[in-house]
Amino acid sequence: MKFSDFICAKAIRAQLSSDSKQDVINELVESLLEAGEINADEKDDIIAAIMKREELGSTGIGRGVAVPHTKHAGVDKLVGTVGVSVDGVDFNSLDGEKVQLFFLLISPPDRPGDHLRALENISKQLRGETFCRFLKQSRTAEDIHQLLEEADNNQFGG
Amino acid sequence: MFLLDTTILAASSLLLLGIASSKFSARLGMPVLVMFLGLGMLAGSEGLGGIAFEDYSFAYGIGTLALALILFSGGLGTPYKAVRATWKPAGLLATVGVLITAVVTGVAASYILEISLAQGLLLGSIVGSTDAAAVFSILRSGGVHIRRRLADTLEVESGSNDPMAIFMTVGLIEVLTGNVTPGIGLAGLFFNQMLVGLAVGIGIGLASVWVLKHIHLGAAGLYPVLATACGLFSYGLAADLGGSGFLATYLTGMVIGNHRVVFHRGIVLFHDAAAWLGQIVMFIMLGMLSFPSRLLDVFVPGLAIAVVLVFVARPLAVVLNVFPFRFSFREQVFLSWVGLKGAVPITLATFPLLAGIPSASLIFDVVFFVVLVSAIVQGWSLPWVARRLRLETAPTRQAPVTLEISSLHDIEGDIVDYYVAPEARAAGKLVKELALPEDVVIALIVREHQIRMPKGSSRIEAEDHVVVVLRPGVRPLVDRVFAPRAMEGVEKELPRAVEFPLRGNISVRELEEFYQLSLGGDASITLDKWFRERVGGSRVSKGMTVNCDRVRLRAVEVAANGHIQYLGMTILPEGAPDDEAVRELPTESLVGTDPATGEAASMSVPASDSAESAGSPVVDEDRIARSVAGDRSVQREQES
């Protein structure tokens, strides 16, 4: 599964303005709303579902990366977005580092396979330090989009 | 003379009982100040003690003195770092917040008690500030561990909001007695209080530091007394110039506490003791001053006002003041709940009595009642509330203990006792191999109960205590060598695949439902228990993994009792049905050798730990291959 299969290019945010966990999730879900991927009346419910997943354990996976995700009936296919925060946000990661790079994922409840596949793909790509570093340094949505495309084409050797 | 002897006997007995009651306080989880107040009420004229004490001006004097000492001691223990990070929200809460709390409570009080608006506002002002003694004691020693920024905000707020409440109380009394006109007169009073308090506090603080450093006293015992004198001088000078003495003494304490003065540790310990003495004396005395029967008379209106204060006024003040500062909703709820009231309101409630304001006696009783309700209900429930709001964090790792070089001169040096955790850089290294900066000497190595004199060829083992003499400037470099690697430790443990942290105490069902996995076994048990059952009852050690369905779970943090605090979940590539995933496998196994991925490999397995980079990847591939073959297997892996 490639990033282009589920990351919504219009929703990518290069300079997130939030500086708390709750706000950054709001901001990313808002970006999906603006891109037309989700319905306005389901936004709050989706945010709540993501926060509920965070209660199982922070999705801050360390090294400045977080992958907040949930399943929700408000989407009929897997959708996701990428956000970069210049200053970083405290996301309760185990390593205590602030998170700069966010991959937010919402999957329909009836397709658990896609959900896991997407998470696995993100996990695989994020192991590449160059990929992470380039993403964190990106200051425009175009840059991020391009990096994702390059990753899809195995240019980071993932 | 007999009277004096009896008084000393009674006072010391009450002190002893106060200290004894603090033991019960821990067991009951009740704030210690409530115990002291209760003791005072028992000793008072309507209690068992039958001590008739109704000298409000004496109580006011003792209360003020005790409060000054408590604030001075609180200032000594407040690092600049905490203030720098929180002065904006804390400062707003301490001024505008107090105003909002006072006005909302005051309007409600005038309505509930059917007194004039000015008298109601007076009552609101009296209960407007949170109590430094109560907040400090709960956040520092009450076993509530919350995010540092939240705790610091509350502490700095409580340390600095008394001046505002005192100013409003004094201002309203002046207005009620016709000495000051509302408007310009009141505004002038406010700025005088704040600015003079600020200037005197910092000025005397800096002067005190200079004196403490240069005076070269012959007896160590004089240094804490000198510090006390400076703190009280700061109070007196500021108050005499029309400023806020409480603010001044808090700031003076802070300035002294943040400088390396001679006998620093002694000064801090002495004032810790002084603050305790102050708390016991003040609360017992205020308890004696109250009349439980009169408290019963104000039960209904008092409760109504307490409810308005706790559920309307304080939350409103918090929400209106902290919204620009990014506190989460839960944190705002917590900030609201820590509107603990304490000694300041009771002391302030004696002001109207002394000034002869109408309904002063009613105000005193209601204030006393409100404080009691707030201290008991909020103080008691705080740890519970923090847990329910999921704001509790793990207690931070104990910092290395700094022992002070006991000298009556200021020596630029520290003796630091480092505990060598197994994951510290120094563990297992020879002394001569350590990358220590100059100006550092390892004085001794303590292993179990033996002292070892270090040589270059001595090996430092995990769990040793290493006592190091160093100049303060090089401390961070030395910390890096000996202290546990909080961040790096996790990075080292991160395997090549990305892991999602999961709490050990969530249920298996929660995880299964969320990812539609089937892990097998009883789904109602916690993940921690499930994992321990899977590895067959043997003691779980860090790094053990279990593969199941599409995920691999790894024990990341294991507590001393064998319970797993955190697990890491890795999502495994899909099995046979999906061609794509299988094709990806060889790429994964070749991470180390493929030139294109060389960088990724060197990041995941730090180059410095050569022993690991040789061993673990092989095990890893083996595991991935087996899991793909559908094998629900259990691996044990020694990480170090």
Side-chain angles (χ1 to χ4, degrees), chain A residues 125 128 130-131 134 146-148 150-151 153-158, chain B residues 596-597:
Chain A
Q125 297 287 2
T130 321
F131 178 59
F134 283 1
Q146 203 176 343
L147 285 166
L148 297 179
E150 287 170 17
N153 298 324
N154 286 324
Q155 292 185 17
F156 289 94
Chain B
T597 59

Side-chain angles (χ1 to χ4, degrees), chain B residues 285-498:
Chain B
M285 188 188 66
L286 294 173
M288 286 181 3
L289 206 56
S290 76
F291 294 90
S293 61
R294 281 181 12 208
L295 290 185
L296 283 178
D297 294 342
V298 295
F299 184 86
V300 175
L303 199 62
I305 292 170
V307 166
V308 172
L309 177 65
V310 170
F311 293 103
V312 184
R314 170 77 181 171
L316 196 66
V318 167
V319 170
L320 288 180
N321 280 298
V322 306
F323 75 87
F325 303 109
R326 309 273 179 193
F327 285 94
S328 71
F329 175 71
R330 287 171 175 197
E331 289 179 329
Q332 293 187 22
V333 172
F334 190 75
L335 285 173
S336 305
W337 197 249
V338 195
L340 280 174
K341 308 299 165 196
V344 179
I346 303 181
T347 310
L348 286 181
T350 60
F351 286 21
L353 285 167
L354 294 176
I357 305 279
S359 11
S361 166
L362 175 68
I363 291 178
F364 182 86
D365 291 338
V366 171
V367 167
F368 199 97
F369 186 85
V370 168
V371 170
L372 219 52
V373 169
S374 157
I376 292 175
V377 176
Q378 292 180 309
W380 209 339
S381 61
L382 255 186
W384 182 80
V385 170
R387 260 200 309 282
R388 283 306 299 255
L389 291 171
R390 291 177 190 260
L391 290 173
E392 278 204 314
T393 56
T396 42
R397 244 186 248 263
Q398 200 80 49
V401 185
T402 307
L403 313 168
E404 195 179 24
I405 302 176
S406 281
S407 155
L408 296 188
H409 304 285
D410 178 26
I411 291 179
E412 277 287 293
D414 282 321
I415 303 176
V416 184
D417 178 355
Y418 286 102
Y419 166 73
V420 182
E423 65 267 27
R425 268 173 222 275
K429 293 235 170 77
L430 299 180
V431 168
K432 64 183 174 198
E433 292 169 350
L434 299 175
L436 287 173
E438 290 192 20
D439 293 339
V440 174
V441 169
I442 297 181
L444 46 99
I445 300 172
V446 184
R447 188 166 304 154
E448 283 160 3
H449 296 289
Q450 303 275 318
I451 287 180
R452 283 151 200 265
M453 301 303 162
K455 297 192 199 79
S457 59
S458 308
R459 191 175 291 282
I460 291 172
E461 306 281 359
E463 301 189 0
D464 282 357
H465 280 264
V466 177
V467 178
V468 179
V469 185
L470 47 83
R471 284 189 204 286
V474 300
R475 176 74 180 264
L477 295 169
V478 183
D479 280 354
R480 229 177 111 252
V481 173
F482 289 108
R485 292 187 259 184
M487 271 148 56
E488 290 155 326
V490 172
E491 184 163 355
K492 187 177 128 191
E493 284 155 23
L494 281 176
R496 296 179 312 127
V498 166

Side-chain angles (χ1 to χ4, degrees), chain A residues 1-2 17-20 22-23 49-50 52-63 66-71 90 92-97 108-117 119-130 133 156-158, chain B residues 147 325-330 390 486-487 490-491 494-504 506-507 510-517 550-551 556-557 566-567 569-574 578 580-581 584 587-588 591 594 596-597 599-604:
Chain A
M1 181 173 261
K2 293 176 181 301
S17 60
S18 312
D19 58 10
S20 75
Q22 173 84 49
D23 289 358
I50 293 173
K52 192 154 191 316
R53 164 60 188 85
E54 293 295 321
E55 287 175 10
L56 302 182
S58 169
T59 54
I61 53 179
R63 294 188 302 232
V67 189
H69 58 272
T70 193
K71 45 180 189 165
D90 185 354
N92 312 10
S93 302
L94 270 195
D95 64 356
E97 275 190 51
D110 51 336
R111 289 165 70 179
D114 279 1
H115 194 186
L116 290 174
R117 219 171 289 137
L119 286 172
E120 201 254 318
N121 178 52
I122 292 176
S123 305
K124 188 152 56 76
Q125 297 287 2
L126 290 177
R127 276 160 37 196
E129 198 192 18
T130 321
R133 197 175 60 230
F156 289 94
Chain B
R147 193 158 72 99
F325 303 109
R326 309 273 179 193
F327 285 94
S328 71
F329 175 71
R330 287 171 175 197
R390 291 177 190 260
M487 271 148 56
V490 172
E491 184 163 355
L494 281 176
R496 296 179 312 127
V498 166
E499 275 186 348
F500 289 97
L502 294 169
R503 295 174 198 274
I506 62 170
S507 74
E510 280 178 281
L511 188 66
E512 285 186 331
E513 275 176 7
F514 199 89
Y515 293 101
Q516 276 149 321
L517 299 167
R550 288 277 317 268
V551 296
V556 177
E557 273 187 39
Y566 269 99
L567 296 103
M569 179 182 73
T570 313
I571 293 151
L572 299 171
E574 250 179 349
D578 192 335
E580 196 190 341
E584 281 168 5
T587 331
E588 290 212 17
V591 163
D594 189 339
T597 59
E599 193 168 0
S602 69
M603 178 270 309
S604 317

Side-chain angles (χ1 to χ4, degrees), chain B residues 9-26:
Chain B
L9 181 67
S12 57
S13 307
L14 283 173
L15 263 182
L16 286 170
L17 286 169
I19 292 164
S21 74
S22 75
K23 295 280 289 180
F24 289 105
S25 138

Side-chain angles (χ1 to χ4, degrees), chain B residues 26-170:
Chain B
R27 198 163 304 163
L28 295 174
M30 170 133 39
V32 69
L33 70 99
V34 178
M35 305 296 291
F36 297 157
L37 271 177
L39 187 65
M41 283 158 77
L42 269 180
S45 48
E46 291 183 351
L48 299 170
I51 301 171
F53 176 71
E54 212 183 338
D55 189 342
Y56 289 101
S57 61
F58 181 75
Y60 161 70
I62 297 286
T64 305
L65 182 65
L67 211 53
L69 282 175
I70 291 170
L71 278 167
F72 183 65
S73 164
L76 281 175
T78 306
Y80 282 153
K81 208 174 76 188
V83 181
R84 253 201 303 278
T86 60
W87 71 274
K88 281 183 202 158
L92 266 179
L93 278 173
T95 49
V96 184
V98 172
L99 182 70
I100 295 172
T101 312
V103 169
V104 174
T105 314
V107 170
S110 77
Y111 186 75
I112 292 168
L113 295 173
E114 295 171 344
I115 51 180
S116 76
L117 184 61
Q119 287 166 349
L121 288 177
L122 177 61
L123 194 153
S125 310
I126 290 171
V127 295
S129 72
T130 61
D131 184 63
V135 171
F136 283 17
S137 78
I138 286 176
L139 292 183
R140 289 187 184 176
S141 51
V144 179
H145 299 283
I146 51 170
R147 193 158 72 99
R148 201 59 246 166
R149 178 163 177 249
L150 197 58
D152 286 343
T153 304
L154 284 164
E155 286 195 9
V156 174
E157 182 213 354
S158 70
S160 54
N161 67 5
D162 299 328
M164 181 70 184
I166 294 164
F167 150 74
M168 287 182 58
T169 306
V170 173

